[in-house]
Amino acid sequence: METHRTITALVTGSTRGIGLAIAEALEARGIHVIRHGTRAEGPSSIAADLADPAETARLWDEAREKAGGRIDVLVNNAGVFEASPIDNTDAYWLAEWERCLRVNLTSAAQLSRLAVRQWLADPVRPVAGRLVNIASRAAYRGDSPDHWHYAAAKAGEVAMTKTIARAYANQGILAFAICPGFTDSAMAGDYLASRGGPGLLADIPLGRVAEPAEIAAIAAFCSADAPPSMTGAVLDANGASYVR
């Protein structure tokens, strides 16, 4: 990224867990971070419900205003991880499917489109903008029988990242995806507890789940330091519980 101007990043879902760690890691590098959550927490934070397309669009507009007109880095981290057993009613199962894909994939696509359009209209060379999508090991390995929707959303996020990277690399737009396994966050912690944590940990050769700071270090590298030739890369961080 250029060094003579302040770089601004929008990080969704950045008031706790992995997103908070990413925001702090970027700020430690001198990047101005606009945070997002379900509640605003401070002047550089914006509240928005990503299940609502209008709220997602408003988030982008307000973030650009706070940034003085330009977002240089977009980190799509926000997500939901809610069980949806197949023996629920059709209406309930479909509603949960739509909600998961809306928050985990469609909102990321909506924000990515807005970012790419901005970078195409107002490029800053040699890198016009960087997109970092926080996907999941589930994109490749799949997930539990109650999480079809989550795995599908994360696989879509990876495919979207690759498509953006291939389409716009020659215009200076870089895109990366990160696929964590279980990470020591509230979202994953609840799931680990519900599934008998020690049994799941036995499936991780490293012997532990990832720390948010580890995922943040990868995201910060992609946001600021990864060379352009890395665009389109998908980076795994799962303690060797899934290798490909």
Side-chain angles (χ1 to χ4, degrees):
M1 305 295 291
E2 293 194 339
T3 58
H4 67 274
R5 54 183 293 274
T6 300
I7 301 302
T8 299
L10 169 61
V11 183
T12 67
S14 50
T15 58
R16 60 177 181 145
I18 293 173
L20 175 59
I22 292 172
E24 291 175 344
L26 293 179
E27 288 170 343
R29 290 170 175 252
I31 296 173
H32 173 56
V33 177
I34 298 170
R35 304 188 186 197
H36 154 264
T38 55
R39 295 192 304 264
E41 299 181 8
S44 292
S45 178
I46 302 170
D49 179 3
L50 299 188
D52 182 342
E55 286 276 288
T56 306
R58 178 184 60 78
L59 168 63
W60 177 258
D61 290 341
E62 290 191 15
R64 282 193 68 182
E65 184 176 351
K66 286 181 179 290
R70 179 181 171 86
I71 301 293
D72 301 286
V73 178
L74 171 62
V75 182
N76 285 309
N77 168 76
V80 293
F81 185 77
E82 299 163 345
S84 182
I86 62 171
D87 56 0
N88 280 323
T89 66
D90 290 350
Y92 182 88
W93 190 87
L94 285 170
E96 288 299 295
W97 178 277
E98 296 293 346
R99 168 175 159 75
C100 181
L101 265 69
R102 170 65 229 173
V103 175
N104 289 7
L105 177 58
T106 308
S107 71
Q110 187 177 353
L111 290 171
S112 296
R113 173 179 175 269
L114 292 168
V116 168
R117 285 170 59 91
Q118 176 209 269
W119 296 331
L120 290 173
D122 181 27
V124 174
R125 303 299 181 186
V127 175
R130 292 180 184 246
L131 171 66
V132 182
N133 286 320
I134 309 301
S136 170
R137 177 188 72 172
Y140 290 97
R141 176 174 147 155
D143 214 292
S144 85
D146 294 343
H147 293 88
W148 294 13
H149 49 358
Y150 183 79
K154 292 304 182 178
E157 197 168 21
V158 168
M160 179 180 72
T161 304
K162 293 178 178 180
T163 301
I164 292 170
R166 287 175 56 81
Y168 305 107
N170 65 354
Q171 296 173 81
I173 295 171
L174 311 181
F176 309 91
I178 301 170
C179 289
F182 288 118
T183 305
D184 187 13
S185 65
M187 188 168 71
D190 291 344
Y191 180 73
L192 280 167
S194 72
R195 303 285 291 182
L200 286 181
L201 288 177
D203 190 41
I204 304 175
L206 185 62
R208 64 170 177 83
V209 300
E211 297 291 334
E214 293 179 299
I215 310 305
I218 302 170
F221 173 72
C222 292
S223 298
D225 299 325
S229 61
M230 259 189 70
T231 190
V234 182
L235 294 89
D236 296 320
N238 60 54
S241 60
Y242 183 78
V243 294
R244 56 187 174 86

